[in-house]
Amino acid sequence: MRPLLLSAALTVFALPALADETTGTVVAYDRVSHVIVLDDRSIWTVPADFPLPEDLMAGERILIDFQSNGDNGVGKYLSITRAEG
């Protein structure tokens, strides 16, 4: 029984992190604190050295690709780009 439990536990920890994405319209972007607020009221704090679209401003639609950290939210940002449409 123990080898089965150990095998199951190792399988759970070996799962890859989940990639996710969201699209929204920028309501506000604070260049100093690196915070983006989208129209769905979600708040995204990005690392200071993370590449963002040049001259990002309110009213633009963006696509945020990130690696989810389960219930802890964003684990790692993969890209933030302008969205079509």
Side-chain angles (χ1 to χ4, degrees):
M1 182 71 167
R2 283 187 184 197
L4 180 61
L5 290 176
L6 180 60
S7 176
L10 290 176
T11 302
V12 170
F13 290 112
L15 292 175
L18 302 174
D20 209 346
E21 65 181 35
T22 189
T23 304
T25 302
V26 176
V27 174
Y29 171 51
D30 186 334
R31 287 170 173 50
V32 175
S33 60
H34 310 284
V35 173
I36 300 171
V37 179
L38 297 181
D39 58 342
D40 65 356
R41 298 184 183 171
S42 61
I43 299 172
W44 300 83
T45 304
V46 296
D49 61 345
F50 192 82
L52 293 172
E54 201 168 312
D55 300 326
L56 184 65
M57 64 178 68
E60 293 185 303
R61 286 191 56 79
I62 60 172
L63 171 68
I64 302 173
D65 284 319
F66 61 96
Q67 199 169 33
S68 178
N69 191 8
D71 291 339
N72 296 326
V74 175
K76 176 182 176 184
Y77 287 97
L78 303 175
S79 69
I80 299 176
T81 56
R82 286 188 171 91
E84 296 295 322

